[in-house]
Amino acid sequence: MQSSTLLLNSNLNFPPKLPRLVPSNQVILGGSLHRPRMSSFASFRAKSEMGGPQSSGESGGDGLRTLIDYVGKGGADVGDDLVVLFSHLQYASKKIAALVASPVNSVLGKKMGLAGGSLSSVAGRDAPKPLDIVSNEIILSSLRNSGKVAVMASEEDDLPVWITDDGPFVVVTDPLDGSRNIDASIPTGTMFGIYNRLMELDHLPIKEKALLNSLQSGSRLVAAGYVLYSSATIFCVSFGSGTHAFTLDHSTGDFVLTHQSIKVPPRGQIYSVNDARYFDWPEGLRQYIDTIRQGKGKYPKKYSARYICSLVADLHRTLMYGGVAMNPRDHLRLVYEANPLSFLVEQAGGRGSDGKNRILSIQPVELHQRLPLFLGSLEDMEELESYGDVQQKINPGYEV
């Protein structure tokens, strides 16, 4: 692997005239001495080193619990096979994070000479972009190297890939969501779900057992997660006992536990949807949005709209602040997006729905099956579903 070390001109970084030295926790602003507030991460580190609540259990030498610490015997103790798998998943996510942040991504498409991608027959808006394809290969390579995955099904591939006969797990993934807007530095993300391999299918031909293993109901998920590539790189995961987020510490290369047992607020004040499509929506959805943004709903405050058009980013904000993130069209994929994200939201106390039914109760019948998706706070979701007609079945003017 090529080194990512950035070589800088030392003359640009160390001017011959040195500034007046001040204590490390003070700065000079406008000729006056100021002591800045401690950054949130520095505060977190200081509390951890003093034995704060985040430092309980087995952890690294500086008192911080890493992702691998957490999944290992000192934390969730999910089993050695999953620990190995997650060590490879985090490695893949760090490679993708570096790729997304690299100047290489702006010229990658031209160098690869790809118009629509070579891995999938999908065309148009959803055709794989060069970064999608590279991210897909990074994840596939990491899963192969783990030795723990029998099947990988990806949004970028027409069919699942059978990796090894004795792998105990099945991984479904959207390798890089939001890459269509990456040139504008909009946050992107990786989504994944993990199932146990259905050993009762082992006697079937490879293509058949690969497909059936990948079409498991979301209620059978062993673990699910997403990685958000933004101002911070955040690895959010659940093993069925709460939802937890780990932030990448670039100084050590570790994902550090920063949000343990996330609880999405039961009611938020934000809705996230492309409301430029307002006039395409069904009557129930229009009524719901009109009501909450006027402050006339069950929660007597006016809601604000926040829409990034990157599913991982919109969902992450919803987990933190509450509200609803939605796409009312038959657009998002049940296997790769709806199931893993619904699993995370439910483990945080929220709800994932297609507008009528609980997502995790839906049995997939096609690998790339699409559906509307609504994710968020429990009370907000119940109010939304009470309007009945919220699924947009007509998509005039643009293609799914």
Side-chain angles (χ1 to χ4, degrees), residues 255-332:
F255 280 100
V256 175
L257 180 61
T258 49
H259 300 78
Q260 187 168 4
S261 299
I262 295 169
K263 296 297 181 185
V264 59
R267 174 74 70 170
Q269 202 177 336
I270 296 172
Y271 72 90
S272 177
V273 68
N274 181 6
D275 55 10
R277 304 297 181 187
Y278 176 89
F279 295 103
D280 298 337
W281 290 346
E283 184 62 26
L285 185 56
R286 288 203 302 269
Q287 288 181 357
Y288 170 72
I289 295 296
D290 288 344
T291 300
I292 62 172
R293 64 186 177 189
Q294 292 179 77
K296 296 180 179 179
K298 293 181 180 180
Y299 187 54
K301 289 189 177 181
K302 294 180 179 179
Y303 278 50
S304 298
R306 299 285 187 273
Y307 183 58
I308 302 171
C309 194
S310 175
L311 182 55
V312 169
D314 282 317
L315 185 277
H316 184 72
R317 183 195 56 247
T318 303
L319 278 180
M320 296 294 105
Y321 304 140
V324 184
M326 66 186 94
N327 189 325
R329 296 183 291 146
D330 284 325
H331 179 69
L332 296 172

Side-chain angles (χ1 to χ4, degrees), residues 3 11 36 39 42 56 60 119 123 137 179 228 232 247 249 253 257 272 310 318 320 347 365 377 391 393:
S3 171
N11 293 327
S39 70
S56 60
L119 298 182
E137 289 299 321
S179 62
L228 173 65
T247 302
D249 182 350
L257 180 61
S272 177
S310 175
T318 303
M320 296 294 105
Q347 288 296 318
V365 293
S377 298
Q391 296 178 327
K393 296 297 184 181

Side-chain angles (χ1 to χ4, degrees), residues 70 78 221-224 237-244 343-344 347:
Y70 181 81
V78 297
L221 279 162
V222 173
V237 64
S238 177
F239 300 96
S241 57
T243 296
H244 317 284
F343 185 79
L344 290 166
Q347 288 296 318

Side-chain angles (χ1 to χ4, degrees), residues 143-212:
L143 298 186
R144 286 188 192 278
N145 291 337
S146 76
K148 302 300 180 181
V149 179
V151 186
M152 172 181 138
S154 168
E155 183 177 316
E156 306 305 333
D157 296 326
D158 291 332
L159 296 171
V161 177
W162 188 266
I163 298 176
T164 181
D165 289 339
D166 57 357
F169 300 117
V170 176
V171 175
V172 297
T173 182
D174 180 352
L176 191 61
D177 171 70
S179 62
R180 186 166 58 89
N181 295 319
I182 202 167
D183 286 344
S185 294
I186 289 175
T188 54
T190 295
M191 292 170 264
F192 63 87
I194 300 173
Y195 298 92
N196 287 317
R197 184 183 100 241
L198 300 174
M199 291 185 287
E200 61 269 27
L201 303 178
D202 285 351
H203 66 285
L204 296 175
I206 285 180
K207 287 186 179 180
E208 186 175 353
K209 66 183 178 182
L211 180 60
L212 292 176

Side-chain angles (χ1 to χ4, degrees), residues 62-84:
D62 57 4
L64 300 179
R65 181 179 289 187
T66 68
L67 173 60
I68 300 304
D69 289 334
Y70 181 81
V71 300
K73 295 187 183 302
D77 193 11
V78 297
D80 292 344
D81 287 339
L82 264 183
V83 172
V84 172

